[in-house]
């Protein structure tokens, strides 16, 4: 299956489901929120302790996913109302296909925790990256890892048409790399750490950022749900912001880490290693011109254009400004 056919098919499927989405009302008394396993974040401390349920006044059901594209599909079908830490690329793919989603906050920035790993047996590094032509790579299509893969291959001048790109979730890609089934695998979190046991990255997070390859996730939700439940969303974002603040200032780390690690399905040391590469911007930073208040729409447009140029999606939107709703986050900051 080609990148183009796989990603276009997924985008089309999401677009078809979108019409049947927004039947939820907060009065039903519960919502469903998507998140990732092996992706430790401060919000999970509040998740485990029931803080979201208590502050929002509704029962919050949590369901785990293996990719942001799967989150988009679940929101399109109405099965999930909010997704935590959805990558910008899968969000852009969905909105470019016509799905009416909105970004609500910056969940995490993690240039060091999303990358592609080349099998150690090939002995290929940044100086010999051209040798990747003709190789097989596992990539979760339509995700931040896919975007990073495209940008890195462009940087190194590797012809995508010469490569065999296989659509695999990070955990599957890590196993395939370990078993020698692929030459390179791309992903994040615990899966990326396992990949590194069998190979090396071509570029560090800092080197990627120098090339403009930013890597951050967002909290997202269907626009119709946000419009009808703005106060509920604001309370959700407030709980997340408070958990981030307790982690960022160090006051809650000792108590929070074991809980977060357990909820993420990780050993404590592994969770701590991942968290050390994460940045959780506070509300005022997220609202600033450097993030959602200015730079994000143009960055999203750039991501979309990269996918269009690679033939992964048919077209991009003229602008992604309407895909960002700052109202609930501003309200959360005032709580």
């Amino acid at each position: 299956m080609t990148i183009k056919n796989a990603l276009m098919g997924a985008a089309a499927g999401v677009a078809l489901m979108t019409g049947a989405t927004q039947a939820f009302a907060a009065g039903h008394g519960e919502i469903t929120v998507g998140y990732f396993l092996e992706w430790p974040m401060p919000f999970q401390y509040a998740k485990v302790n029931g803080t979201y349920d208590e502050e929002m006044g509704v029962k919050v059901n949590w369901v785990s996913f293996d990719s942001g594209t799967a989150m988009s599909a679940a929101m399109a079908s109405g099965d999930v109302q909010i997704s935590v830490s959805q990558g910008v690329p899968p969000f852009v793919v969905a909105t470019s296909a016509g799905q009416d989603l909105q970004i609500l906050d910056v969940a995490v920035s993690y240039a060091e925790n999303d990358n592609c790993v080349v099998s150690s047996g090939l002995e290929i590094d940044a100086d010999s990256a051209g040798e990747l032509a003709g190789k097989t790579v596992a990539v979760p299509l339509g995700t931040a890892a896919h975007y990073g893969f495209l940008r890195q291959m462009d940087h190194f001048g590797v012809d995508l048409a010469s490569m065999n790109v296989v659509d695999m979730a990070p955990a599957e890609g890590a196993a395939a790399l370990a078993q020698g089934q692929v030459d390179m695998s791309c992903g994040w979190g615990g899966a990326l750490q396992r990949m590194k046991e069998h190979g090396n990255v071509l570029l560090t997070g800092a080197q990627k950022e120098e090339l403009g390859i930013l890597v951050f996730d967002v909290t997202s939700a269907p626009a119709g749900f946000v419009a009808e439940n703005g106060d509920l969303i604001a309370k959700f974002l407030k709980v997340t912001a408070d958990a981030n603040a307790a982690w960022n200032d160090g006051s809650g780390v000792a108590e929070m880490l074991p809980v977060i690690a357990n909820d993420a399905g990780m050993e404590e040391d592994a969770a701590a290693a991942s968290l050390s590469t994460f940045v959780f911007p506070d509300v005022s930073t997220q609202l600033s011109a450097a993030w959602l208040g200015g730079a994000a729409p143009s960055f999203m447009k750039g991501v979309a254009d990269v996918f269009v140029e690679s033939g992964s999606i048919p077209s991009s939107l003229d602008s992604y400004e309407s895909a960002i709703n700052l109202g609930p986050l501003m309200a959360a900051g005032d709580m």
Side-chain angles (χ1 to χ4, degrees):
M1 179 179 286
T2 65
I3 298 177
K4 181 176 181 179
N5 289 341
L7 198 49
M8 284 185 177
V14 165
L16 284 172
M17 288 188 289
T18 303
T21 304
Q22 323 304 343
F24 175 89
H28 289 183
E30 60 183 69
I31 64 171
T32 300
V33 179
Y35 74 108
F36 291 119
L37 290 174
E38 292 193 307
W39 195 243
M41 297 175 67
F43 85 86
Q44 289 174 276
Y45 181 76
K47 166 185 178 289
V48 172
N49 288 330
T51 309
Y52 286 99
D53 308 65
E54 181 179 343
E55 294 299 321
M56 296 169 68
V58 299
K59 183 180 187 301
V60 181
N61 302 307
W62 298 86
V63 59
S64 63
F65 290 90
D66 61 11
S67 74
T69 51
M71 286 178 167
S72 294
M75 288 188 287
S77 67
D79 293 334
V80 165
Q81 285 73 52
I82 303 172
S83 290
V84 177
S85 212
Q86 182 179 35
V88 171
F91 178 90
V92 167
V93 168
T95 52
S96 298
Q99 188 173 356
D100 199 6
L101 295 177
Q102 291 183 331
I103 288 174
L104 305 172
D105 77 0
V106 175
V108 59
S109 177
Y110 55 100
E112 288 289 358
N113 213 319
D114 185 294
N115 220 325
C116 295
V117 177
V118 184
S119 174
S120 55
L122 294 177
E123 298 184 350
I124 294 175
D125 57 21
D127 293 329
S128 56
E131 295 176 19
L132 287 170
K135 298 295 190 291
T136 298
V137 55
V139 182
L141 299 185
T143 66
H146 182 197
Y147 170 70
F149 162 72
L150 292 175
R151 288 291 306 275
Q152 289 191 68
M153 293 307 96
D154 179 67
H155 170 69
F156 288 117
V158 179
D159 182 6
L160 290 174
S162 74
M163 305 184 78
N164 178 27
V165 180
V166 184
D167 185 11
M168 285 188 176
E172 297 171 344
L177 187 70
Q179 295 163 10
Q181 297 172 345
V182 298
D183 301 305
M184 182 167 73
S185 187
C186 305
W188 55 80
L192 175 61
Q193 301 310 312
R194 293 193 295 278
M195 291 174 195
K196 289 180 178 179
E197 296 173 5
H198 302 280
N200 59 280
V201 299
L202 298 174
L203 295 172
T204 66
Q207 289 171 327
K208 289 190 300 176
E209 288 181 335
E210 288 178 7
L211 296 175
I213 306 176
L214 304 179
V215 186
F216 66 96
D217 287 358
V218 300
T219 299
S220 60
F225 175 75
V226 179
E228 296 173 5
N229 302 279
D231 291 344
L232 195 72
I233 292 287
K235 291 175 182 177
F236 183 90
L237 299 179
K238 171 62 173 173
V239 173
T240 300
D242 287 347
N244 287 343
W247 180 268
N248 287 339
D249 68 18
S251 64
V253 171
E255 182 179 353
M256 295 169 75
L257 180 58
V259 177
I260 293 170
N262 183 66
D263 191 64
M266 302 175 74
E267 295 295 331
E268 206 169 307
D269 288 348
S274 288
L275 281 158
S276 70
T277 68
F278 290 168
V279 176
F280 304 100
D282 60 25
V283 172
S284 62
T285 299
Q286 294 176 49
L287 292 170
S288 72
W291 288 97
L292 300 182
S298 59
F299 174 71
M300 292 160 64
K301 174 65 173 172
V303 170
D305 288 345
V306 166
F307 280 138
V308 171
E309 290 166 11
S310 71
S312 299
I313 61 175
S315 62
S316 63
L317 303 179
D318 292 335
S319 170
Y320 289 83
E321 289 185 11
S322 64
I324 299 175
N325 187 340
L326 297 181
L329 186 59
M330 293 174 68
D334 292 335
M335 288 180 176

